[in-house]
Amino acid sequence: MDATVARAEVLEVQMPLKEPFVTGFGSTDTRRTVLVHVVDADGHEGWGEAAALDHPFYLPDTTSGTFAVVSEWALKLAGEGTAAPGEVASRLCAIRGNTFARAGVEAAFWCLEASRQASSMAALFAAAAGTPVRTHVPVGESVGIHPTVQSTLDAVERAVGAGYQRIKLKVKPGWDEEIVAAARDRLGPAAMLQVDANGSYSLGTDDIQRLERLDRYGLACIEQPLAWDDLAGHAALQRRIETPICLDECLRSVADVQRALDMGACRNVNLKPGRVGGATAALEIRRICVDAGVALWCGGMLESGVGRALNLALCALEGFSDPADMAPASKLYEFDLVEPTFDVEPDGTIAVPSAPGLGFPVTSARVAQCTLRRAEVAVRPSL
Ligand code: OSB
Ligand code: MG
């Protein structure tokens, strides 16, 4: 087998969302994201998604910046030695920040490795982590901010009817207690309900009372209430509220997670492999969370099936205690970039593929149809 990369390309794709996704940082109506595609000399393929958002209102990373870092730096760096994903990850560590760019490239190499070994990505992750895999993962739905309480409750009802095992409501100051109370009332006391503020609250205002009032509703967690980079603020807030704080934006590396747990800034972790710089970092974070006994679940970036495939393989590992944010393309998009794609089963789980490689066939026609720009990158593997 020839382990060198023969071809590498980066694509920026655009997929219209069925309906705008509204959060505390604003509205997203089309999803512009970056795909990474590598092919080795034997024709094995690797696909990854670098799922930054197009705007800089969630994190500093953007789709355009990610496309630039992948095409100008990350792919070349990744291709310079052996294609083993762990080594690719260490080479990519030379890049500061730009976690989605690094993760997308690393993902393509995990997928390539899985294709080469005729193994599923879940089996590769299981071997790397020394942990068994599950055949199905429980999933929840992330319900955006709607114009009215009634339309939010309709969305919650649809999600529960479709089997989702957990509801996450997007909140912001002024769109919080009323909607949480209404959803709790509708769902009953036993249902798993949580909220995500995407950093829209501040300490030192009456926001703090708003957050304290949410303690009454038995939420599984309050995700990222305060600013994207404010670990100390979250630690102070966690001392004042009972509900576990979950961090998303604040956790962009293994070290961030360790620090957050040491400081008491969270008791629940949203793990997005893209946000932490890739699957290797994600595996390490999984171990830290299992050892610390904190709730752990796989978050999402409204990825296409290419990105979701890696998330699914990752959270197939034992240790992910809570349902993943993994609404399928049938919910979010008119079509997916993989065909057949996955769906949520009536029991609120998604089946983890056991097929080799990505686990879902990438449809080149759909990819071509969505492509806004494409760059071929020359990689020179050292012999
Ligand atoms: O804050 O978890 C978030 C989507 C894009 C960016 C940030 C977030 C989200 C979601 C959607 O909540 C989760 C999903 O991918 O289904
Ligand atoms: Mg979030």
Side-chain angles (χ1 to χ4, degrees):
M1 286 210 298
D2 188 341
T4 58
V5 171
R7 256 191 71 210
E9 60 171 352
V10 195
L11 304 111
E12 182 180 328
V13 293
Q14 180 170 42
M15 301 172 70
L17 282 163
K18 279 188 174 168
E19 50 185 69
F21 187 67
V22 182
T23 75
F25 58 68
S27 176
T28 307
D29 54 12
T30 54
R31 194 68 184 88
R32 270 204 300 133
T33 173
V34 173
L35 300 182
V36 184
H37 183 207
V38 294
V39 184
D40 76 5
D42 295 328
H44 298 111
E45 290 189 82
W47 283 94
E49 182 165 349
L53 296 186
D54 54 355
H55 54 69
F57 307 131
Y58 165 68
L59 281 173
D61 306 59
T62 61
T63 307
S64 299
T66 297
F67 185 92
V69 171
V70 170
S71 57
E72 292 173 27
W73 303 101
L75 257 177
K76 286 191 192 92
L77 207 53
E80 264 168 13
T82 85
E87 291 182 34
V88 168
S90 5
R91 289 198 290 277
L92 289 171
C93 278
I95 295 175
R96 297 182 180 175
N98 291 286
T99 56
F100 291 98
R102 285 194 266 137
V105 172
E106 192 193 323
F109 281 84
W110 278 102
C111 178
L112 180 66
E113 184 66 13
S115 314
R116 280 205 185 111
Q117 294 191 17
S119 156
S120 68
M121 294 223 290
L124 278 194
F125 291 151
T131 309
V133 273
R134 304 176 289 177
T135 58
H136 289 76
V137 300
V139 295
E141 190 174 315
S142 175
V143 176
I145 294 173
H146 282 243
T148 64
V149 172
Q150 189 52 52
S151 63
T152 314
L153 290 180
D154 292 345
V156 166
E157 210 111 284
R158 276 195 301 277
V160 170
Y164 287 91
Q165 297 192 20
R166 181 223 71 206
I167 300 296
K168 159 168 144 181
L169 296 173
K170 293 289 189 177
V171 294
K172 62 180 180 182
W175 181 260
D176 39 30
E177 189 177 7
E178 185 190 4
I179 189 65
V180 168
R184 177 52 85 201
D185 190 50
R186 186 63 63 96
L187 292 170
M192 189 174 183
L193 179 65
Q194 64 193 54
V195 297
D196 184 2
N198 286 110
S200 55
Y201 291 75
S202 346
L203 288 177
T205 65
D206 62 3
D207 283 1
I208 181 85
Q209 281 82 39
R210 290 187 167 283
L211 294 166
E212 281 171 346
R213 283 202 295 274
L214 295 181
D215 264 346
R216 296 178 203 154
Y217 299 96
L219 299 175
C221 66
I222 301 179
E223 182 177 337
Q224 196 70 38
L226 305 176
W228 66 284
D229 57 353
D230 188 8
L231 273 189
H234 284 99
L237 178 64
Q238 185 67 90
R239 290 193 286 273
R240 291 188 55 167
I241 63 174
E242 296 282 323
T243 310
I245 291 179
C246 168
L247 290 176
D248 174 357
E249 285 89 327
C250 274
L251 306 179
R252 302 172 70 205
S253 64
V254 175
D256 282 346
V257 174
Q258 191 63 65
R259 217 170 1 243
L261 295 179
D262 291 348
M263 289 169 67
C266 68
R267 293 199 259 125
N268 180 307
V269 169
N270 170 333
L271 176 50
K272 299 180 183 177
R275 195 199 60 226
V276 301
T280 301
L283 291 171
E284 179 70 8
I285 291 167
R286 188 203 70 91
R287 196 189 55 74
I288 290 171
C289 292
V290 169
D291 289 351
V294 302
L296 173 70
W297 52 285
C298 181
M301 290 295 296
L302 306 172
E303 295 92 343
S304 75
V306 174
R308 293 286 213 218
L310 182 138
N311 294 359
L312 188 56
L314 179 76
C315 68
L317 297 184
E318 282 180 4
F320 283 82
S321 57
D322 289 7
D325 265 351
M326 193 88 72
S330 61
K331 170 77 182 57
L332 301 172
Y333 298 106
E334 299 299 337
F335 51 79
D336 202 350
L337 303 179
V338 299
E339 186 61 53
T341 181
F342 59 84
D343 229 320
V344 176
E345 304 193 0
D347 67 351
T349 65
I350 295 175
V352 180
S354 50
L358 195 65
F360 303 98
V362 176
T363 55
S364 39
R366 279 282 155 71
V367 172
Q369 190 188 349
C370 296
T371 299
L372 297 176
R373 55 178 166 152
R374 189 181 153 273
E376 190 90 32
V377 178
V379 290
R380 276 182 289 116
S382 60
L383 297 173

